[in-house]
């Protein structure tokens, strides 16, 4: 369990995580924690750009319960959060639920691994990359289709907070498109040359920033 896609996205080598004692204390407090979450905490949990650019991974000592669920990730304005059903804490790779704007618990991802990969792409596309465009662009369906033809769609998505999809031809670049009538779009890359290539393509689309 090395979270290779996330490591490649952010060019992460080695571990930037929490001490095993911190993770163990949280596990003792809640009776169990999923194996994937424990490993993520240990390997990548303390990486700031990955986990705190826009939304926030809760530290092991910041986990809290909301009814029958344990919250481990929160939206930056605390409008929604993501959690695991407490009955599933003993599973290795459980489903992740979102408390949405209507205060309902709805399924976000069928596995914790899928959710962590999707949220990593969101953080990367939300100015978490070393090289990123500072603007948010409003794009039409026609412009979105040109992006889809140029860049491959990533298999991870977010649906229940906002409807988001991610694109990129290389492991370390991302285009984030959020449905909003048409689309809101941001983009970035960890590699400078890749980013310059993306900028050149985007200029040809006639983008309008907010």
């Amino acid at each position: 369990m090395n979270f290779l896609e996330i490591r490649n996205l952010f060019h992460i080598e080695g571990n930037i995580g929490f001490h095993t004692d911190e993770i163990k204390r949280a596990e003792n407090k809640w009776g169990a924690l999923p194996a994937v979450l424990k490993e993520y905490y240990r390997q990548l949990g303390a990486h700031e750009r990955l986990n705190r650019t826009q939304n926030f991974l809760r530290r092991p000592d910041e986990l809290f319960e909301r009814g029958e669920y344990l919250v481990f990730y929160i939206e930056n304005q605390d409008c929604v959060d993501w959690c695991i059903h407490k009955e599933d804490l003993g599973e290795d790779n459980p489903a992740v639920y979102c408390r949405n704007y209507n205060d309902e618990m709805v399924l976000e991802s069928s596995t914790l691994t899928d959710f962590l990969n999707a949220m990593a792409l969101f953080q990367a596309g939300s100015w978490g990359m070393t090289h990123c465009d500072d603007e948010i662009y409003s794009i039409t369906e026609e412009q979105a289709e040109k992006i889809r033809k140029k860049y491959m769609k990533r298999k991870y998505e977010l649906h229940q907070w906002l409807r988001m999809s991610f694109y990129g031809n290389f492991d370390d670049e991302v285009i984030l498109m959020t449905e909003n009538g048409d689309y809101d779009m941001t983009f970035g890359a960890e590699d400078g040359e890749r980013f310059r290539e993306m900028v050149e393509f985007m200029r040809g689309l006639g983008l309008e920033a907010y």
Side-chain angles (χ1 to χ4, degrees):
M1 193 185 303
N2 57 12
F3 306 103
L4 185 60
E5 290 173 283
I6 297 174
R7 288 180 178 276
N8 289 342
L9 179 63
F10 281 87
H11 290 187
I12 301 172
E13 297 181 1
N15 293 337
I16 307 174
F18 297 105
H19 194 278
T20 53
D21 289 348
E22 297 178 80
I23 302 167
K24 187 63 177 176
R25 282 195 294 271
E27 186 175 26
N28 290 339
K29 177 177 180 178
W30 299 107
L33 289 178
V36 169
L37 183 60
K38 290 189 291 184
E39 272 301 295
Y40 187 84
Y41 273 142
R42 186 182 71 82
Q43 295 185 35
L44 302 175
H47 191 289
E48 286 292 308
R49 287 191 293 128
L50 168 59
N51 299 303
R52 303 189 71 82
T53 293
Q54 285 293 312
N55 297 336
F56 307 118
L57 175 72
R58 304 291 290 187
R59 295 173 55 94
D61 62 356
E62 294 175 337
L63 298 171
F64 66 95
E65 59 186 337
R66 190 182 294 282
E68 295 302 311
Y69 297 84
L70 184 68
V71 178
F72 71 98
Y73 224 114
I74 62 171
E75 189 264 343
N76 67 83
Q77 296 179 336
D78 201 23
C79 294
V80 303
D81 48 51
W82 292 271
C83 47
I84 300 166
H85 199 287
K86 287 191 285 188
E87 289 185 352
D88 298 338
L89 290 177
E91 296 184 11
D92 288 344
N93 197 15
V96 173
Y97 297 85
C98 176
R99 177 183 64 88
N100 65 19
Y101 291 109
N102 297 320
D103 208 31
E104 302 166 330
M105 288 293 187
V106 290
L107 181 67
E108 179 73 80
S109 299
S110 59
T111 68
L112 179 55
T113 300
D114 284 353
F115 171 80
L116 292 171
N117 277 284
M119 189 58 75
L121 288 165
F122 167 76
Q123 303 278 36
S126 300
W127 309 286
M129 298 272 85
T130 298
H131 306 278
C132 54
D133 193 289
D134 292 334
E135 303 288 354
I136 301 175
Y137 295 97
S138 177
I139 66 173
T140 64
E141 181 61 44
E142 181 181 2
Q143 290 169 319
E145 188 58 29
K146 289 180 180 179
I147 292 172
R148 295 188 191 104
K149 288 180 179 178
K150 171 73 173 178
Y151 293 94
M152 294 185 296
K153 188 176 186 298
R154 300 291 184 91
K155 62 181 178 180
Y156 305 108
E157 295 182 341
L158 292 171
H159 296 286
Q160 301 297 351
W161 164 43
L162 298 168
R163 295 192 65 85
M164 297 179 173
S165 54
F166 308 97
Y167 299 81
N169 291 337
F170 296 92
D171 291 344
D172 58 355
E173 66 182 16
V174 62
I175 298 165
L176 163 59
M177 291 202 293
T178 305
E179 294 184 21
N180 182 22
D182 285 322
Y183 301 90
D184 293 340
M185 189 272 290
T186 55
F187 65 95
E190 200 65 12
D191 178 84
E193 183 58 34
R194 297 231 212 288
F195 180 67
R196 286 187 287 273
E197 292 173 0
M198 297 174 81
V199 169
E200 189 65 24
F201 171 76
M202 296 300 179
R203 283 175 178 166
L205 297 181
L207 300 179
E208 290 188 11
Y210 278 99

